[in-house]
Amino acid sequence: MAETNNEEMVVTPWEVTGRVDYEKLVKDFGTQPLTGEILERIKRLTGELHPQLRRRIFFSHRDLDWILQRYEAGEKFVLYTGRGPSGPVHIGHLVPWMFTKYLQDKFGAKLYFQMTDDEKFLHRDNCTIGDVEKWTYENILDIIAVGFDPKKTRIIVDSKNISTLYKIAVRVAKHMTYSTIRATFGFQDSTNIGMIFFPALQAAPAFIESELVGHNVPCLIPAAIDQDPYWRVARDVAPKLGYYKPAQIHCRFVPGLGRAGKMSASIPETSIFTVDPPEKAAKKVMNAFTGGRATIEEQKRLGANPDICSVFSYDYFLFMDDPEIEDLRFKCLAGDIMCGDCKHVLADRVKTFLKEHQEKREKAKDRVQEFLFNPKDN
Amino acid sequence: MAETNNEEMVVTPWEVTGRVDYEKLVKDFGTQPLTGEILERIKRLTGELHPQLRRRIFFSHRDLDWILQRYEAGEKFVLYTGRGPSGPVHIGHLVPWMFTKYLQDKFGAKLYFQMTDDEKFLHRDNCTIGDVEKWTYENILDIIAVGFDPKKTRIIVDSKNISTLYKIAVRVAKHMTYSTIRATFGFQDSTNIGMIFFPALQAAPAFIESELVGHNVPCLIPAAIDQDPYWRVARDVAPKLGYYKPAQIHCRFVPGLGRAGKMSASIPETSIFTVDPPEKAAKKVMNAFTGGRATIEEQKRLGANPDICSVFSYDYFLFMDDPEIEDLRFKCLAGDIMCGDCKHVLADRVKTFLKEHQEKREKAKDRVQEFLFNPKDN
């Protein structure tokens, strides 16, 4: 049922609630909108614009124009993204990873993928080392299943690769004061000192390629915009250490199947996990929140609202091509299609998607070593 | 020339100034004085009381009685001490290390020796990674020259052994809030986040043996009392992680050759460095501050003051046995010996000491690997 959601917007690395106003975020965070001009440039370079760009699922950036300019001049960049292994991966997580794979493929870019197991352990009271070890492994399977190139992908596990990271992180940390970190992340006196140090560790992979090859290499970070505070402080420090500032491209949050807010592993009934049995996932879709009216009669007369519909969101974020999604939008607004129909279509696609992903995920179990960062063979 | 020094006492891990009132420190820090009863017990166990115990150079402790009780019941303890490699070692540094060697020998104890290269880099504005690497190596030579048993000694270099340390440190850090660390160390908003995290890393070696052998092992930390804040916060966390609280035995600061305050590498003319050419060190002794009177006539008539005399301090801390030091004290008070005579005696002993130390230090260059911590062969 359609309802507006007026809950206040909160966007931090640990919390995304309320209906997100992306224009306001661009303004608040001081990032740049992804303009048509930049998209044209990407299209020229890649031959093909990813739907997540066309649809502005990636909608904001910092220094992406600079990255493209360097690339045009023959200088390759590395990609860096990450995952906090605190629970199972849901298909919302896969959205930016799929886009990252597109960037890797089209730009021939090496990718550093950081598993922030330490941060997850430090942040959650009842999270044990055993928990994060388990989820690190499980989540890596999903990352590999997305199809990254093993020759060009290095998965960094903080606790395992701390030796490489710490060397960079101490140099970064020396330039990050408590007052900057408190103001940027909203830390309090009761925050533990591991969390306070962590922004230096999350900055480190942005500079790792430069350290390993011995000269500066541009770095582009595709990630949801809630991670921006980390890159903001990393960018401030970079020139002080002689590194390039890491560039970013920011995506929206994939909504959950509930009323509003991003898909979150902590609300399992509104999240489609990659390991959900397909039939179970289909049932979640059938219970999803939509933009429909109270009665079929009313919906036929007034049309429904795709803009607040979680089912439409999924089609938009993941499953439908441009003509199909435009057609659906039109039919929905016109009252020519009922929510039950849309749910069935989405449920089928989710089932197919999950079956395929789960097969790749199973195969990934034999390939973990290929992807893990090893400073020796880098 | 004798003068009292009324400069306010400041004792922190980074600053020791003013005339130190050790009784007040015991009260302020909440430690226990080293009683005759404990000394008797150590004598019973070791057969011989080290002069630094008899003279109360080690004067305070936490849970040393508990360590002895465990030892008497057949449970061995490990020793843990450290060094911040920010400059050359002076002979004041050697005092607690010599005592640590005595504990190692008498109790057959394994020793973890932490080189806090990261902390030194983080703490000093104009200190580079290159600086701390150089001093780490140079200082390790001095540590080895003290004569520790290579089979029972593991030198931990933070930046090199971070992989082992970080595993423990994140668990420690999760229980250390910023407010505790700020209150304990006097940190400010302008403190960098590396320094804020560091207390978790300095706590880690206290628990390393327990981690490596898989059961709790008592740990005794011999160190100057300015390091106590680190152990205080480590002790608070230990039971939360299921570890024993680390015990401590605290020593006084070896005074410099100047007016007051501990010997400090930052005032080179009042510090005898282990690498000083013996003749140069002898000259520093000849320029030392003493407790003497303005004229020889006056000194003969009124006697001098050994309690504020840096030359007497050296004899007391390092060079003279009990009858000799008692005799000197008596003669000094009575005006039966002049400062120049004392300086000559000390200068000769310093020269002999340095020559011997420098020979051992030279030989240590071939033995560094024997002493370095390696998690694989632990």
Side-chain angles (χ1 to χ4, degrees), chain A residues 3-37:
Chain A
E3 254 178 55
T4 55
N5 185 301
N6 296 317
E7 199 189 339
E8 200 200 348
M9 170 173 85
V10 177
V11 176
T12 76
W14 304 281
E15 188 185 12
V16 177
T17 51
R19 186 158 290 276
V20 180
D21 179 341
Y22 289 101
E23 269 181 50
K24 187 168 182 302
L25 275 185
V26 166
K27 228 177 265 175
D28 288 357
F29 282 12
T31 65
Q32 300 297 314
L34 212 57
T35 60
E37 192 192 330

Side-chain angles (χ1 to χ4, degrees), chain B residues 35 54 60 222 341:
Chain B
T35 61
R54 288 201 310 273
S60 151
D341 302 328

